[in-house]
């Protein structure tokens, strides 16, 4: 067979492997854009169309790609990324369907008459100030958002909100956008930082960065959600830095959310950290029980169901740390009761929601507990499981520990990665591997069940 064909074949096989491991979006965005170039002396050269891909793949996907290649050719290859701007590479067609890229679109909003056309912004209609319950855990953030929505660009700029998962950051941020859209002619742009990044890459690939910049630098109010995603991503931080400066200089409002204070985002440029602190920084904390009850009550009213206070209290007592989960529990309960045509009782709640209540308990479980538990279970040294030494015989337990960290805690892939001194792609790979193995291996399923029971009860 011709050498080039060999390389193509090898890469195709690796791709099929990777396709199974990654989400469709990740596969199309990061793997489908790679073209294999050559294989010489066990070095496989892979081409991409710009250095952004090169950096990103290097940082995030190298181990995954390496493993896939090892799996298909049975030996370790070195991988070299090469930028070839002239190469015609398969490209991910961003126009087709990638709805989440940015909340703005070129199509003008349907507004009557001669009013200024505004880009469409997709906000969740439920996320308004009216539906937001204010309590001591979020009153400061709420007040700041109200002020910003009334005087964008002047009250507090930027507004930086941080707090844990499911505590209402996105809700409040979108309420700012909703208020501005209903009460002014302002151009509002809501986007997660991940979508911001993806949008950047799309434009980079189409060589249309100017239009990317136009889009973001001409907003009156720019809402960027979950900024922690920018951690360690130099190029996009650079781009965002300039967007920030331009908007700030023109007194346009910037609102940011994050799961932690900016100074605690690893690999976030100092100049960004300091800019994020120029305006107002506010924290959203876990809601107290009164607020949780009030949220449940409003939610039940929204579903036109009257619930006994005892049931609301039961739920609010048992599910403490995450409002999204609290709402999910309520919805599940109400759906069940209406299907069974039975009144909602505490007894019913504790039966129907058993899984949820258990995992609420295990939320306090920390990755470290899991690492320790798994190490003990397999009689390993904790340092071997976590550290940088990589004895091959413990790859499997390590993957199991990552898998359990994902199942039993609320931590994100990057957070789990940090705890294991690996990157998020490795964690993702580990989880998929364990899931696949579990399907065909009853012993493994048993061990994992045993382990997780032990951990949850510890
Ligand atoms: P975050 O962005 O902090 O992870 P979200 O804003 O997505 O959290 O909120 C999770 C869910 O909880 C949403 O459905 C939101 O409407 C609801 N929620 C959070 N806080 C409140 C609140 N104070 N009042 C009413 N609903 C809330
Ligand atoms: Mg959010």
């Amino acid at each position: 067979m011709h050498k080039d064909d060999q390389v193509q074949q090898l890469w195709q096989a690796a791709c099929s492997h990777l396709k199974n491991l990654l989400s469709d979006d990740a596969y199309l965005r990061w793997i489908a854009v790679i073209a294999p170039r050559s294989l010489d002396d066990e070095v496989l050269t892979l081409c991409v169309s710009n250095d952004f891909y090169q950096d990103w793949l290097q940082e995030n996907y190298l181990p995954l790609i390496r493993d896939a290649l090892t799996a298909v050719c049975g030996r370790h290859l070195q991988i070299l990324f090469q930028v070839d701007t002239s190469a015609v590479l398969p490209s991910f067609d961003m126009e087709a369907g990638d709805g989440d890229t940015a909340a703005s679109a070129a199509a003008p909003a349907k507004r009557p008459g001669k009013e200024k056309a505004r880009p469409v912004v997709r906000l969740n209609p439920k996320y308004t100030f009216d539906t937001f319950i204010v309590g001591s855990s979020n009153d400061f953030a709420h007040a700041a958002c109200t002020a910003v929505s009334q005087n964008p660009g002047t009250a507090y700029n930027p507004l930086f909100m941080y707090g844990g998962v499911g505590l209402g950051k996105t809700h409040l941020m979108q309420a700012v956008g909703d208020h501005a859209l209903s009460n002014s002619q302002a151009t509002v742009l809501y986007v997660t930082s991940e979508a911001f990044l993806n949008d950047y890459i799309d434009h980079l690939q189409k060589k249309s960065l100017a239009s990317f910049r136009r889009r973001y630098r001409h907003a009156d109010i720019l809402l960027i959600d979950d900024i922690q995603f920018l951690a360690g991503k130099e190029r996009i931080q650079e781009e965002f830095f300039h967007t920030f400066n331009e908007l700030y200089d023109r007194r346009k409002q910037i609102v940011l959310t994050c799961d932690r204070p900016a100074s605690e985002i690893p690999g976030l440029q100092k100049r960004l950290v300091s800019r994020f602190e120029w305006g107002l920084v506010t924290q959203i904390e876990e809601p107290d029980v009164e607020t949780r009850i009030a949220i449940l009550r409003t939610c039940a009213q929204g579903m036109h169901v009257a619930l006994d206070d005892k049931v609301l209290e039961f739920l609010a007592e048992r599910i403490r740390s995450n409002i999204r989960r609290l709402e999910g529990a309520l919805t599940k309960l109400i759906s069940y009761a209406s299907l069974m045509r039975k009144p909602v009782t505490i007894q019913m709640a504790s039966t129907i929601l058993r899984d949820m209540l258990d995992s609420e308990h295990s939320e306090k479980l920390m990755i470290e507990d899991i690492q320790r538990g798994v190490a003990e279970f397999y009689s390993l040294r904790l340092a071997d499981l976590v550290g940088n030494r990589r004895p091959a015989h413990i790859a499997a337990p390590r993957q199991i520990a990552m898998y359990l960290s994902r199942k039993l805690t609320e931590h994100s892939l990057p957070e789990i990665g940090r705890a294991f001194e690996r990157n998020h792609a490795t964690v993702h790979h580990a989880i998929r591997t364990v899931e696949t193995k579990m399907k065909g291996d009853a012993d493994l399923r048993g061990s994992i069940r045993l382990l997780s029971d032990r951990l949850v009860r510890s």
Side-chain angles (χ1 to χ4, degrees):
M1 192 192 308
H2 191 272
K3 218 171 155 195
D4 280 353
D5 293 340
Q6 246 175 12
V7 177
Q8 286 292 347
Q9 259 192 10
L10 172 66
W11 181 243
Q12 284 316 319
C15 280
S16 325
H17 206 76
L18 289 164
K19 221 176 202 154
N20 290 329
L21 290 174
L22 295 167
S23 71
D24 290 350
D25 184 56
Y27 178 82
L28 286 174
R29 194 174 288 285
W30 300 113
I31 306 297
V33 296
I34 301 173
R37 167 65 41 101
S38 59
L39 177 60
D40 290 306
D41 294 335
E42 303 299 276
V43 178
L44 177 68
T45 305
L46 299 174
C47 264
V48 286
S49 60
N50 60 60
D51 57 344
F52 188 82
Y53 278 123
Q54 183 181 25
D55 293 348
W56 189 277
L57 287 164
Q58 204 95 357
E59 276 171 31
N60 296 286
Y61 289 100
L62 192 57
L64 209 63
I65 294 174
R66 198 185 286 130
D67 284 358
L69 283 162
T70 310
V72 297
C73 75
R75 54 190 207 275
H76 292 285
L77 297 179
Q78 258 201 60
I79 294 166
L80 188 71
F81 286 108
Q82 204 174 61
V83 176
D84 182 350
T85 46
S86 66
V88 183
L89 299 177
S91 79
F92 178 17
D93 184 5
M94 307 301 165
E95 301 296 318
D98 186 46
D100 282 326
T101 295
S104 112
K110 286 196 202 83
R111 299 191 125 250
K114 297 190 255 342
E115 286 177 66
K116 188 171 97 182
R118 293 192 294 185
V120 176
V121 50
R122 261 177 263 123
L123 298 175
N124 185 330
K126 196 194 124 201
Y127 293 169
T128 65
F129 284 121
D130 288 344
T131 56
F132 192 81
I133 309 286
V134 184
S136 58
S137 57
N138 58 32
D139 53 355
F140 186 40
H142 175 263
C145 284
T146 316
V148 159
S149 68
Q150 285 162 0
N151 291 304
T154 51
Y156 307 108
N157 207 16
L159 173 61
F160 186 95
M161 275 189 285
Y162 72 93
V165 181
L167 296 184
K169 300 182 296 294
T170 299
H171 187 141
L172 269 182
M173 172 180 250
Q174 294 206 1
V176 171
D178 170 73
H179 186 276
L181 284 173
S182 330
N183 296 285
S184 72
Q185 282 294 301
T187 307
V188 175
L189 211 51
Y190 166 85
V191 72
T192 64
S193 65
E194 186 171 10
F196 180 76
L197 167 79
N198 290 340
D199 204 21
Y200 175 77
I201 299 163
D202 300 349
H203 282 86
L204 190 67
Q205 202 172 28
K206 287 189 251 152
K207 302 194 170 40
S208 58
L209 277 183
S211 96
F212 174 86
R213 291 178 178 142
R214 248 193 327 276
R215 171 181 292 175
Y216 289 95
R217 297 180 190 183
H218 286 82
D220 296 313
I221 301 182
L222 179 62
L223 311 167
I224 301 206
D225 211 353
D226 291 322
I227 206 90
Q228 70 273 3
F229 186 78
L230 300 184
K233 308 189 170 101
E234 288 292 326
R235 273 283 281 278
I236 194 69
Q237 287 183 25
E238 178 78 25
E239 186 63 33
F240 183 59
F241 176 74
H242 296 296
T243 307
F244 184 102
N245 290 345
E246 184 150 343
L247 289 173
Y248 186 87
D249 290 344
R250 293 176 36 232
R251 295 178 181 278
K252 302 300 184 184
Q253 181 68 46
I254 301 155
V255 183
L256 306 164
T257 70
C258 190
D259 65 355
R260 68 199 93 168
S263 58
E264 291 174 21
I265 305 176
L268 184 66
Q269 297 172 2
K270 291 266 178 317
R271 55 186 191 170
L272 279 175
V273 175
S274 83
R275 272 167 181 73
F276 293 171
E277 291 165 352
W278 276 355
L280 184 71
V281 176
T282 132
Q283 184 182 6
I284 302 192
E285 288 170 272
E286 289 183 10
D288 53 26
V289 68
E290 289 78 22
T291 311
R292 297 202 295 274
I293 293 176
I295 291 172
L296 283 172
R297 189 169 289 131
T298 322
C299 199
Q301 275 163 7
M303 293 189 250
H304 306 286
V305 179
L307 284 188
D308 192 347
D309 277 355
K310 287 268 175 307
V311 174
L312 296 182
E313 279 164 29
F314 173 82
L315 290 177
E317 284 294 346
R318 300 293 296 271
I319 302 177
R320 297 161 165 269
S321 52
N322 180 330
I323 296 171
R324 188 176 297 127
R325 182 178 280 182
L326 197 61
E327 289 181 343
L330 186 71
T331 311
K332 191 167 170 188
L333 197 56
I334 290 179
S335 320
Y336 178 82
S338 91
L339 264 176
M340 305 308 283
R341 301 178 192 285
K342 284 184 185 162
V344 178
T345 60
I346 293 184
Q347 173 61 38
M348 179 192 281
S350 56
T351 314
I352 298 306
L353 304 174
R354 185 178 298 130
D355 286 356
M356 238 180 223
L357 300 175
D358 279 356
S359 74
E360 179 75 9
H361 165 72
S362 68
E363 204 171 42
K364 306 210 175 47
L365 198 65
M366 306 210 295
I367 296 179
E368 215 188 310
D369 300 324
I370 295 173
Q371 293 170 333
R372 191 159 289 127
V374 172
E376 211 173 86
F377 190 82
Y378 289 100
S379 309
L380 301 166
R381 296 188 320 165
L382 186 59
D384 282 346
L385 193 69
V386 178
N388 248 330
R389 258 165 45 86
R390 298 186 178 200
H393 68 286
I394 67 163
R398 188 189 297 120
Q399 289 179 332
I400 291 171
M402 291 180 184
Y403 168 83
L404 287 170
S405 300
R406 183 63 175 166
K407 295 289 160 194
L408 302 178
T409 74
E410 292 270 322
H411 289 289
S412 64
L413 296 184
E415 285 168 344
I416 296 171
R418 274 195 291 284
F420 284 85
E421 298 180 28
R422 300 288 188 279
N423 64 27
H424 79 270
T426 311
V427 180
H428 187 258
H429 172 62
I431 294 167
R432 297 290 284 255
T433 308
V434 172
E435 281 170 351
T436 311
K437 280 191 194 159
M438 276 170 78
K439 282 194 192 117
D441 184 345
D443 283 349
L444 181 67
R445 280 201 299 277
S447 304
I448 288 182
R449 181 161 332 115
L450 193 67
L451 250 168
S452 58
D453 280 352
R454 262 194 216 176
L455 286 164
V456 170
R457 279 174 227 303
S458 63

